[in-house]
Amino acid sequence: SRWTAPLCCVLLTPANEGLFIAQSLGAPDWLAKARRLYGFMGISILFSCETMTVFRNMFLHHQAGWTSMSIKNCLIDQICWGGISYHFMLLQLYIKRWRKTRSL
């Protein structure tokens, strides 16, 4: 399938959410640092995978020729730019926080 790799990368997010819930329930401070590091790594992997996949899919649609099916699939694939921009924004927020606090 065209989007199998990003779908597998998305499976990293429930662990991050679980760590966030544990932190909210009073887990030790070191867990918060581990969660931020894990979250940054997971979002970086997801952002990279989504970006590479969308460009690969657009290339494959172009190679297949512009039939009605490839145009439809290409247009459907453009929905992913919303997710890519959201993950890029999250990465910027992580970096901004690290620059401000100089720590995890």
Side-chain angles (χ1 to χ4, degrees):
S1 176
R2 297 186 329 251
W3 290 97
T4 302
L7 288 174
C8 292
C9 291
V10 165
L11 295 176
L12 296 171
T13 58
N16 187 41
E17 292 170 4
L19 289 171
F20 182 74
I21 291 169
Q23 177 190 348
S24 300
L25 293 175
D29 289 338
W30 63 266
L31 191 63
K33 291 181 181 183
R35 183 194 64 80
R36 285 191 292 269
L37 180 62
Y38 179 80
F40 180 78
M41 290 172 41
I43 292 170
S44 298
I45 291 168
L46 185 56
F47 171 77
S48 301
C49 187
E50 286 172 333
T51 304
M52 289 187 310
T53 303
V54 78
F55 281 116
R56 183 205 61 181
N57 287 345
M58 289 189 330
F59 177 74
L60 291 175
H61 296 314
H62 177 71
Q63 272 191 330
W66 293 110
T67 64
S68 63
M69 182 58 97
S70 69
I71 290 172
K72 181 183 90 168
N73 286 337
C74 187
L75 289 174
I76 290 170
D77 286 346
Q78 302 313 304
I79 292 171
C80 296
W81 285 108
I84 291 170
S85 2
Y86 172 70
H87 294 127
F88 182 71
M89 180 195 67
L90 287 177
L91 290 173
Q92 287 178 319
L93 291 173
Y94 272 107
I95 292 168
K96 183 179 177 181
R97 183 192 183 283
W98 285 337
R99 283 186 182 155
K100 184 179 176 182
T101 64
R102 299 282 183 207
S103 69
L104 283 175

